Amino acid sequence: MTLRDLARMGEQNLTAAGVPDAKHDAMALLLESFGITKSDYVLHGETDLIGTAPGTKPSFVKDLAASLEKYREGIRRRSEREPLQQILGTAPFMGFEFSVDENVLVPRGDTEVLVETVIGDLQGQTPGLTCLDLCTGSGCIGISLAKLAGMEVTLSDISEAALAVAYKNASVLAPQCSLVQSDLFENIPQRFDLIVSNPPYIRDDVIETLDPEVRAYEPRTALSGGADGLSFYRRIAADAPAHLRENGRLYLEIGFDQGKDVSRILTENGFTDVKVHKDYCGNDRVVSAAKG
Ligand code: GLN
């Protein structure tokens, strides 16, 4: 039995379970289970893991039985459509590794556009700016801004379990961040230079049509934006002005079809300079605005 055999078997199991990207996910689980890199796999993929003479166990294998069990369990969980990142316990975002679990949304590549837009807009002027990340989840947005742009960031979420994940990530990546448990602005008295958020924005009737990875495993509270998907934008737009300093700015992630609605909601609440920004697939993804 070789690593290549294991990769093939895992891929077959995942394919049979209807998992998209079965080959990729089996490989990620294999590398994680054996604690090896892709280069180890490339160099040692054909080495027999079991049939070698006593004392000649390949050096890249530390505990074969434990690794095999971990891999088997990982493939089983992924076959049930648990998200790969929840099984691995980590997800990449802006080049950093974020811890994740079932209490937070897995950081999405699309959300990086929010961070890039903020940094791009405020080039060079970000260090020392105060920033509130509402609905922070894993903390990926706020922590990236603290790390990459030197902002003073407050991470906030309604969920204590989500904040525990954000706390873990902040401890490793940006310990200077503050955390607060709050239903949007409820427990937040102060004003900020910036407010950023990727709030829940999926329409309730759409949630059941999503992939099982999302609808069965990601927290509903992180997904549901109410009947029309816009409830958090209305609440944020109404209350953000009182929490922004003069010239303060607001950056919100949006669904691909929400650019017009969210722009209108912001304008109705007195925001100016309202702009919609696209993601790398060409979809509307971020709305920015200035306190009017
Ligand atoms: N801010 C977090 C993220 O972008 C969580 C978002 C959410 O829970 N809707 O991943």
Side-chain angles (χ1 to χ4, degrees), residues 8-50:
R8 209 173 299 123
M9 277 157 33
E11 180 188 347
Q12 280 165 6
N13 287 340
L14 296 186
T15 303
V19 173
D21 305 322
K23 194 182 178 87
H24 168 273
D25 288 6
M27 179 60 63
L29 291 167
L30 184 69
L31 300 181
E32 163 76 8
S33 303
F34 280 79
I36 57 175
T37 63
K38 188 69 186 279
S39 355
D40 294 326
Y41 176 82
V42 170
L43 290 173
H44 304 295
E46 297 292 1
T47 306
D48 189 2
L49 297 172
I50 293 174

Side-chain angles (χ1 to χ4, degrees), residues 97-120:
E97 188 179 272
F98 283 85
S99 288
V100 296
D101 67 16
E102 69 281 4
N103 297 302
V104 298
L105 207 70
V106 171
R108 309 293 208 261
D110 287 338
T111 302
E112 294 186 350
V113 174
L114 175 55
V115 175
E116 291 169 25
T117 305
V118 173
I119 295 177

Side-chain angles (χ1 to χ4, degrees), residues 93 104-108 111 133-141 157 197-201 221-223 253:
F93 186 80
V104 298
L105 207 70
V106 171
R108 309 293 208 261
T111 302
D133 177 9
L134 288 173
C135 314
T136 193
S138 66
C140 61
I141 298 170
D157 204 286
S197 185
N198 175 20
Y201 59 69
T221 44
L223 299 172
E253 176 166 331

Side-chain angles (χ1 to χ4, degrees), residues 173-186:
L173 295 167
Q176 69 276 23
C177 291
S178 317
L179 289 96
V180 56
Q181 187 176 6
S182 178
D183 181 6
L184 295 184
F185 295 101
E186 195 173 33

Side-chain angles (χ1 to χ4, degrees), residues 176-216:
Q176 69 276 23
C177 291
S178 317
L179 289 96
V180 56
Q181 187 176 6
S182 178
D183 181 6
L184 295 184
F185 295 101
E186 195 173 33
N187 300 326
I188 300 173
Q190 68 269 48
R191 289 176 187 260
F192 299 85
D193 296 308
L194 283 173
I195 296 173
V196 298
S197 185
N198 175 20
Y201 59 69
I202 318 268
R203 284 206 326 260
D204 283 341
D205 62 329
V206 171
I207 292 181
E208 291 313 319
T209 69
L210 300 175
D211 290 338
E213 283 82 352
V214 181
R215 89 177 125 75

Side-chain angles (χ1 to χ4, degrees), residues 32 38 41 50 67 74 86 92 96 102 112-113 133 144 157 218 225 261 276 283-284 288:
E32 163 76 8
K38 188 69 186 279
Y41 176 82
I50 293 174
S67 296
Q86 282 186 14
F96 307 118
E102 69 281 4
E112 294 186 350
V113 174
D133 177 9
S144 297
D157 204 286
E218 294 204 276
D261 286 330
V276 178
N283 292 318
D284 289 348
S288 62

